[in-house]
Amino acid sequence: MGKRLLQALTASVALGVVITHAEAKTVIQVMHQGDPGWVTTYGDVAKRFEAANPDVDVELIYAPHDAYNEKFSAAVMSKQLPDVMELDAPFLANYVWSGYLQPIKPLIDQDILDDMTESNVAQGTYPIDKELYAVGLTDSSVVLYGNRKYLEAIGARIPKGVDDAWTREEFEGYLEKLSKLEGVKWPIDTFRGYGIKTEWITYAYGPILQSAGCDLIDRKTWKSVGTLDSDPCVDALTMMQKWVKNGWVVPQSSGTNQFFAEGHPAALAFGGHWIYAEAAASMKDDIVVMPLPKFGPKGVSPNGTWIWGITTASEHPDIAGKFVSFMLKDKQYRDYAKDDSAYPGLKSFAADSPLYNVGGPMAVAFEQASKTAIARPPHPAYPAITSAFMGAVDEIFNDGDVKAALTAAAEKIDEDIEENDGYPPFDEQQ
């Protein structure tokens, strides 16, 4: 072996071949969540990026959706933050305030920045310095899905758009009628099956409070007592508790697909845009997409979804930004998102998404983005806000005292803010 190696080296020198050690590749870590289809999609994007950038290795770090924040906290504690992280938009203020994210504009291709919708910019912007810290292909919304067959049977009015949404009186009247209609097991699926660790309760039910005239927290004083437990909020949650007590709501134990399950046992659904593809495949022409009802003086819908940020711990932020830009432009990535009925956060993606175009079956969802969308409170205390509210709603749906549950939640939120000295400089915004 030694003689052969010497002969090979001699031959190489004779041919003028210079032998050097292969240079180590730059490794960037990308932390993400998602169902199996999305996990595969991210893996495929990483492979295509590596093929286009052979000096870079992308290491994907998966964290389960329901335990994502816990895994991120563990990464913080062990000082092992990834270069790129997927984050749920309402948590952005907490992450920026804590020093985990860096401004992303200098790191992302300008054509991506120019392509962002207003709601996409809003979900990635930190309210203190107005800088952009995260970007995504998508945004999100919740709509009111209906089964055309059942709605026609009770003579329900089908709204033509956001300005034509059902009132509270209409909505509850239809629930009452649907509860007596043959073939309907539950008048509505509010997707309680998502549980209290998925952010669903705050995301989907918070707009009901805001429509009724209250909020999770006062967005000027950043105090929750007197707001979350105010009369309009108590009334709104009492209304929802009544739906549950009446047996109108799909129970948590029945899962998250009763609206489009076999036999279509639920007549209506407060559902995210992401269920459209599966529901439409099951229901065909019976599916109707409507705006969320007006439970008070105005209609309100949610926004904000999982977006991409670059951490302050990244030693290669330029490469991290290059990866994010590559991913958001990647055709196969976009095609998968489109097939998943993803809600557009880039104008070019919206133009390529017939579901959301004028006249498309999900056009009302895109209309809500410009007319009724209200983001969840952009405050560093958001983790405490959503945890307290979700716990209160769970207690209320299990027949707890509405006022007491909301007051206890409001006090928890205010205690967290006080314990953090008001989260300066948010304490100066009053």
Side-chain angles (χ1 to χ4, degrees):
M1 286 291 292
K3 186 177 180 180
R4 289 180 182 176
L5 179 58
L6 179 60
Q7 288 173 339
L9 288 171
T10 302
S12 297
V13 172
L15 291 171
V17 177
V18 178
I19 299 175
T20 61
H21 292 290
E23 291 195 16
K25 292 186 178 183
T26 300
V27 177
I28 60 166
Q29 294 184 322
V30 179
M31 185 174 174
H32 67 95
Q33 52 86 54
D35 63 27
W38 276 109
V39 171
T40 299
T41 299
Y42 294 143
D44 291 343
V45 171
K47 290 175 185 175
R48 289 190 288 272
F49 181 78
E50 289 172 339
N53 300 271
D55 57 337
V56 179
D57 273 344
V58 179
E59 182 182 326
L60 295 173
I61 303 171
Y62 171 75
H65 179 91
D66 294 357
Y68 192 87
N69 290 322
E70 288 87 343
K71 184 154 185 176
F72 177 73
S73 296
V76 170
M77 294 297 290
S78 62
K79 297 184 179 179
Q80 293 182 330
L81 284 178
D83 297 271
V84 178
M85 67 170 292
E86 196 177 16
L87 64 138
D88 200 1
F91 290 83
L92 181 135
N94 179 271
Y95 292 164
V96 176
W97 185 85
S98 300
Y100 302 144
L101 296 177
Q102 60 179 294
I104 204 171
K105 266 189 179 181
L107 306 171
I108 299 296
D109 291 353
Q110 188 61 44
D111 56 343
I112 290 289
L113 300 174
D114 294 340
D115 200 21
M116 296 174 71
T117 62
E118 288 184 18
S119 62
N120 196 356
V121 172
Q123 69 178 340
T125 299
Y126 186 54
I128 296 298
D129 59 14
K130 311 299 183 188
E131 290 283 348
L132 189 72
Y133 283 83
V135 60
L137 176 67
T138 61
D139 198 343
S140 69
S141 193
V142 171
V143 295
L144 178 64
Y145 292 99
N147 187 311
R148 188 184 305 276
K149 178 177 64 177
Y150 297 145
L151 295 179
E152 289 179 350
I154 63 168
R157 179 178 69 84
I158 307 297
K160 296 181 176 65
V162 170
D163 298 332
D164 195 32
W166 289 344
T167 63
R168 171 176 172 171
E169 291 71 29
E170 280 182 296
F171 178 69
E172 292 202 287
Y174 293 147
L175 291 180
E176 177 75 39
K177 290 181 179 179
L178 288 167
S179 71
K180 301 172 183 176
L181 186 66
E182 185 177 352
V184 174
K185 186 173 183 179
W186 300 286
I188 188 164
D189 189 350
T190 64
F191 285 78
R192 288 186 65 196
Y194 285 138
I196 62 171
K197 291 187 177 181
T198 65
E199 183 59 17
W200 172 253
I201 286 176
T202 308
Y203 172 68
Y205 304 168
I208 295 176
L209 305 189
Q210 292 151 351
S211 178
C214 57
D215 207 341
L216 304 171
I217 191 169
D218 186 303
R219 302 193 187 203
K220 292 183 179 178
T221 65
W222 295 117
K223 302 290 184 185
S224 185
V225 171
T227 298
L228 179 55
D229 57 350
S230 63
D231 289 345
C233 277
V234 171
D235 178 60
L237 266 299
T238 300
M239 171 188 71
M240 295 188 76
Q241 186 186 62
K242 179 186 73 176
W243 303 345
V244 174
K245 284 182 176 180
N246 288 350
W248 293 350
V249 177
V250 174
Q252 188 170 340
S253 59
S254 293
T256 59
N257 68 338
Q258 294 306 306
F259 175 64
F260 53 90
E262 185 177 355
H264 307 151
L268 298 168
F270 278 128
H273 67 273
W274 55 87
I275 74 162
Y276 176 81
E278 195 171 357
S282 169
M283 300 175 67
K284 311 298 183 189
D285 293 338
D286 277 339
I287 191 170
V288 178
V289 182
M290 300 174 285
L292 292 179
K294 295 178 182 176
F295 292 99
K298 63 180 181 180
V300 176
S301 61
N303 78 323
T305 191
W306 289 84
I307 49 183
W308 301 94
I310 296 172
T311 71
T312 51
S314 177
E315 296 181 0
H316 308 286
D318 53 336
I319 297 175
K322 189 175 182 180
F323 172 76
V324 173
S325 297
F326 178 94
M327 177 170 56
L328 297 184
K329 296 179 188 181
D330 184 77
K331 184 180 185 303
Q332 289 95 322
Y333 174 72
R334 288 183 174 217
D335 285 347
Y336 182 82
K338 184 167 62 174
D339 291 343
D340 199 43
S341 65
Y343 187 99
L346 297 181
K347 297 166 194 171
S348 61
F349 183 52
D352 195 36
S353 302
L355 276 180
Y356 296 92
N357 288 340
V358 175
M362 288 289 284
V364 71
F366 208 53
E367 185 187 5
Q368 285 185 158
S370 60
K371 290 186 175 181
T372 63
I374 294 181
R376 283 157 281 179
H379 191 278
Y382 186 77
I385 294 171
T386 186
S387 176
F389 180 63
M390 289 193 292
V393 171
D394 189 55
E395 182 179 338
I396 289 166
F397 281 6
N398 285 292
D399 207 25
D401 182 270
V402 177
K403 175 73 172 180
L406 291 179
T407 295
E411 289 173 348
K412 285 181 185 176
I413 294 167
D414 287 353
E415 285 170 9
D416 177 83
I417 294 174
E418 289 169 11
E419 288 171 1
N420 287 278
D421 299 321
Y423 287 98
F426 281 82
D427 59 334
E428 300 170 5
Q429 288 187 301
Q430 299 178 19

